[in-house]
Structure formats: C-alpha cells, structure tokens
Amino acid sequence: DTAVSQTPKYLVTQMGNDKSIKCEQNLGHDTMYWYKQDSKKFLKIMFSYNNKELIINETVPNRFSPKSPDKAHLNLHINSLELGDSAVYFCASSQVFSGPRMGYIQYFGAGTRLSVL
Amino acid sequence: GDSVTQMEGPVTLSEEAFLTINCTYTATGYPSLFWYVQYPGEGLQLLLKATKADDKGSNKGFEATYRKETTSFHLEKGSVQVSDSAVYFCALNQGGKLIFGQGTELSVKP
C-alpha cells in the first residue's frame, strides 16, 4: 500500500490552462505539504496544512490554491498555467506539525511532473 | 533566514570507494537535521536523521553526525555500491517545513 500517493504522475498541458494535482496519505498523519522541485532539483516548500488548516504559505503566486477536504487529502489547483510552472511537485505528510527541535519525519509521494508547453 | 549548503555535484566514484558529501547549515536554535535520497524517477526517501547535537544518524551503511560547533551534518559511507547512485539532499526542519540543500548527485561506476 502506497503511503503518500499523488495523481497524476505526469501532466502535460498548454499555457493558460487550469489543472489540479491530487494527494492522499493513508498514514493517519495530521499534516500535509506541497513542495516544488525545479529543473535544477532544488526543493522548496509551497504550502502546509495541519488538520485541514493552512499553516504555511510561502510566497507562491495566488494562481496556486491548495485545498484540503479532510486531513488525508491535500490537492493543488493551478490556474492560468505558465511556462515557469513546469517542475516536479511533491506532496508529503508528517505525524505532527514540527517545531524546530522536532524530528518528525516527512514522508513524500513519488511526485507529479508538470510540463507546461 | 535558515539555509543549507551542500557540496556541488555530480560526484562520481568507483564501487567500494569511500563517500563523503558535505553539508553545512545556518539556523537559529537547534533544528533537526535530515538526509533524504532521491533515486532516479522516484520521490524522496528519508535516509537518516539527527535531532540534537552529537547525535549520529545511520541507515544502510550511511552515517552522519550532528556537529553543532561546525554547524555540519556530513554524510559518509565506507563502501559505496552502484545501487547508491542517486541524488542526496541535506535538510533541516525549521518550524515544520524542511529547508533543503541544493542536492548532490552521486554516480557509482562498477
């Protein structure tokens, strides 16, 4: 059983379209995250939800809107896609929202490779 | 702000060679430190972690020690295998979000 699953694995679309990526975790975790990995493999957090509440919102364009219908799901909707949105998007989850000294592990999905043409 | 710096890659080694991937960090307080590994075409997997100074994390022959005095968390393995070829990420936990280094690609040749 996959712990953190994302769909789709690949997404190819045209500029200007709207698309969604879905993420589900079956680990019983309270906290979920979205990370973006660019073409140089640099990873940066975008959002985090704890028990369906948004707790981290980095400086991400407001074309990106996360939605958490329940604590096991965190979807990412992207409006008006741009070429620069091409990247791999990773969903992750952890047991609790960690403070600086906490060692709670974040478990990652396999990623969604988004290509905007 | 907090940050993580890793040695530049790619790193190419022969099988059974000794591996060191350097990682240093800048942080307020005492963050937890992690090494994640990304095999080709896959997501990130936790390799090891350390939550306080002088802790040593270890897994699958890899080790890293949390050094507060040098703000470092270098990854080492005594004898690499071809199957260790992957991208390795050092990360710290800052207020619940992982701050990653830029990743170091390792290629192990037979």
Side-chain angles (χ1 to χ4, degrees):
Chain A
D1 248 1
T2 304
V4 182
S5 58
Q6 296 178 226
T7 53
K9 193 170 171 64
Y10 300 97
L11 186 51
V12 181
T13 188
Q14 300 287 330
M15 262 196 324
N17 284 350
D18 303 338
K19 289 292 177 187
S20 291
I21 306 171
K22 295 187 176 181
C23 178
E24 175 182 5
Q25 54 93 4
N26 63 6
L27 296 166
H29 289 166
D30 290 328
T31 308
M32 296 184 73
Y33 311 80
W34 278 110
Y35 288 84
K36 179 180 179 181
Q37 185 176 46
D38 64 21
S39 58
K40 294 190 166 120
K41 296 214 176 283
F42 184 66
L43 277 150
K44 192 171 189 316
I45 192 165
M46 301 173 69
F47 301 104
S48 176
Y49 271 74
N50 179 249
N51 263 323
K52 303 193 295 174
E53 181 186 345
L54 180 66
I55 50 174
I56 293 174
N57 185 352
E58 295 292 286
T59 48
V60 176
N62 57 16
R63 298 182 294 104
F64 290 78
S65 52
K67 283 191 171 47
S68 181
D70 55 60
K71 71 176 192 177
H73 295 84
L74 180 61
N75 303 323
L76 183 65
H77 188 77
I78 316 170
N79 288 328
S80 303
L81 277 154
E82 300 177 357
L83 292 176
D85 298 332
S86 296
V88 181
Y89 292 85
F90 286 101
C91 178
S93 73
S94 67
Q95 186 177 7
V96 291
F97 178 57
S98 303
R101 290 205 64 149
M102 303 299 266
Y104 291 107
I105 298 164
Q106 293 188 18
Y107 294 84
F108 283 77
T112 295
R113 183 175 292 277
L114 171 64
S115 299
V116 182
L117 308 176
Chain B
D2 294 4
S3 65
V4 176
T5 303
Q6 290 179 233
M7 64 186 282
E8 293 274 338
V11 173
T12 302
L13 295 173
S14 297
E15 209 165 21
E16 299 183 5
F18 184 85
L19 168 72
T20 300
I21 300 179
N22 289 340
C23 170
T24 57
Y25 67 90
T26 303
T28 50
Y30 304 100
S32 294
L33 301 173
F34 303 83
W35 277 99
Y36 277 84
V37 58
Q38 185 177 25
Y39 296 103
E42 296 185 14
L44 282 84
Q45 302 174 27
L46 178 73
L47 184 58
L48 52 85
K49 69 170 187 174
T51 57
K52 60 183 188 298
D54 301 324
D55 262 4
K56 178 188 277 190
S58 60
N59 185 26
K60 299 182 183 179
F62 291 89
E63 291 182 340
T65 301
Y66 190 141
R67 301 275 187 216
K68 190 177 72 168
E69 62 278 7
T70 54
T71 61
S72 65
F73 193 54
H74 304 321
L75 182 68
E76 295 182 337
K77 187 175 185 184
S79 174
V80 293
Q81 306 300 313
V82 172
S83 57
D84 293 327
S85 298
V87 180
Y88 292 80
F89 293 92
C90 185
L92 63 82
N93 186 323
Q94 179 214 53
K97 61 185 177 184
L98 289 175
I99 306 292
F100 286 93
Q102 68 269 41
T104 302
E105 184 178 356
L106 171 66
S107 178
V108 181
K109 307 294 185 192

